[in-house]
Amino acid sequence: MPELPEVERYRSVAIQAGVGHRISEVVVKDDPIVLDGCDAADVRRSLIGRLLRAVERKGKYLWWVLDRPPCVVFHFGMTGRMLSTVHAPLALKTAASTERGGWPPDRATLRVQFKTGAEVAFVTTRRMGRVRLVEAPLVEAPVNRLGADVLSELPELGSFQALFMSRRGNIKGGLLDQTRLAGLGNWMADEVLFMAKISPLRSSASLSDAEWEALRDAIVSVVEIAVAVEADSERFPSGWLFHQRWDAARTPQTLRGGLSFTTVGGRPTVFDPRRQR
DNA sequence: CTCAGTGTTCAGTG
DNA sequence: TCACTGAACACTGA
């Protein structure tokens, strides 16, 4: 479930383990699916002996800025993680999550050791995550295709609303389109619509001004809270829809506790038809 | 054995 | 050309 808050957490993991430190050892698994446009030798050569200057994020993408280009850009796909020896792993309550203790983690694509002895690993068990070498991530693919980051660049109400004007489809599809707003994923889209009392099936064109404002406010709130608790779902507010979506996810097209479990735009969707109009 | 689930990309359609 | 839809991708755990 790596949506923005989780990626932001992985950013802290990398910062705390390695920013300001030089890289002494690198182990890369030569996996042509995960390494996109580069091979293990390229990645190793780019990292070994380098100083980690900063770790940046936009939407669900993360990249390491070294003291010499290129940057190493990570995407987590549906099952990626970034772990370190100085961070306790977080047990994430999602359908796909499995955290196991021990170091090194199983099947890491990449393991980096700093001169301090701290290590960071990138794991993408189902191989849908990606590692790329990019000179200037903000102006090159894939990061340059992203819209405004929902944590740091959320547009003011007028431009926020305008982002969706060219869309004919449902509002949930619009929220998931990373070229408009970057960072929301499937569960967060459901959560903000729940908070804003808007049905995921509504067409973008049908929202009132008050609803646009409620939707924008809900995005601010959900993103801020999820980031503040470091994407630890145990600490999500008890009223959030999140807590009800995973255990009951095996009952499509039925009602449970008044909630509707269905599919919108090909994604599993949970909403409360009594509350969300 | 079957299949849900996670994010993105791509082929096909309107 | 643009926007949308649905399948595909790889894999694990239920």
Side-chain angles (χ1 to χ4, degrees):
Chain A
M1 163 266 344
E3 303 186 17
L4 186 151
E6 224 179 299
V7 179
E8 185 62 20
R9 177 190 158 81
Y10 298 146
R11 180 168 168 262
S12 320
V13 167
I15 288 174
Q16 289 173 44
V19 162
H21 303 303
R22 203 162 283 281
I23 294 166
S24 55
E25 194 48 73
V26 178
V27 179
V28 192
K29 193 200 293 180
D30 205 354
D31 181 338
I33 292 179
V34 177
L35 305 184
D36 189 356
C38 56
D39 63 21
D42 298 330
V43 175
R44 186 168 195 282
R45 198 179 316 119
S46 301
L47 282 164
I48 195 98
R50 301 271 58 82
L51 183 70
L52 179 59
R53 280 257 164 83
V55 183
E56 311 282 353
R57 181 195 58 72
K58 182 166 184 180
K60 303 170 193 169
Y61 287 84
L62 186 74
W63 61 96
W64 288 16
V65 182
L66 308 165
D67 56 351
R68 179 191 301 173
C71 297
V72 184
V73 177
F74 297 92
H75 188 269
F76 296 86
M78 297 194 277
T79 56
R81 293 171 287 153
M82 191 165 279
L83 311 167
S84 90
T85 51
V86 301
H87 256 80
L90 177 63
L92 297 162
K93 189 170 106 188
T94 72
S97 73
T98 43
E99 292 285 350
R100 298 226 288 281
W103 194 273
D106 255 5
R107 284 171 288 192
T109 300
L110 173 65
R111 282 168 52 201
V112 174
Q113 185 178 74
F114 294 89
K115 287 236 164 97
T116 56
E119 287 187 39
V120 176
F122 173 72
V123 184
T124 174
T125 314
R126 297 181 194 178
R127 300 167 82 202
M128 293 177 100
R130 294 292 179 266
V131 177
R132 299 174 173 94
L133 299 175
V134 180
E135 299 284 317
L138 283 173
V139 296
E140 292 175 59
V143 176
N144 68 350
R145 291 198 283 260
L146 299 175
D149 182 76
V150 289
L151 177 63
S152 58
E153 312 174 321
L154 190 64
E156 291 308 311
L157 189 57
S159 9
F160 172 76
Q161 202 167 335
L163 283 177
F164 298 88
M165 286 301 99
S166 61
R167 278 191 76 96
R168 288 167 299 180
N170 60 58
I171 185 64
K172 177 165 179 179
L175 292 173
L176 291 175
D177 180 354
Q178 304 295 302
T179 70
R180 289 178 161 71
L181 292 177
L184 299 179
N186 194 45
W187 77 258
M188 290 188 93
D190 283 0
E191 197 70 52
V192 300
L193 289 166
F194 178 73
M195 188 176 282
K197 300 190 170 75
I198 297 168
S199 162
L201 302 164
R202 288 274 294 283
S203 80
S204 310
S206 75
L207 267 63
S208 69
D209 286 350
E211 286 173 326
W212 282 115
E213 187 168 8
L215 182 59
R216 188 184 177 283
D217 289 348
I219 292 173
V220 171
S221 172
V222 169
V223 171
E224 261 180 18
I225 293 170
V227 169
V229 301
E230 299 169 293
D232 179 356
S233 57
E234 309 266 304
R235 291 192 281 154
F236 288 172
S238 58
W240 278 16
L241 188 61
F242 182 93
H243 301 293
Q244 299 180 68
R245 70 177 299 122
W246 304 108
D247 36 334
R250 290 180 293 113
T251 55
Q253 308 290 356
T254 63
L255 293 178
R256 269 215 202 171
L259 296 178
S260 170
F261 291 80
T262 181
T263 299
V264 177
R267 317 293 316 184
T269 296
V270 185
F271 72 106
D272 183 345
R274 293 166 308 183
R275 182 186 138 107
Q276 296 174 254
R277 313 300 301 189

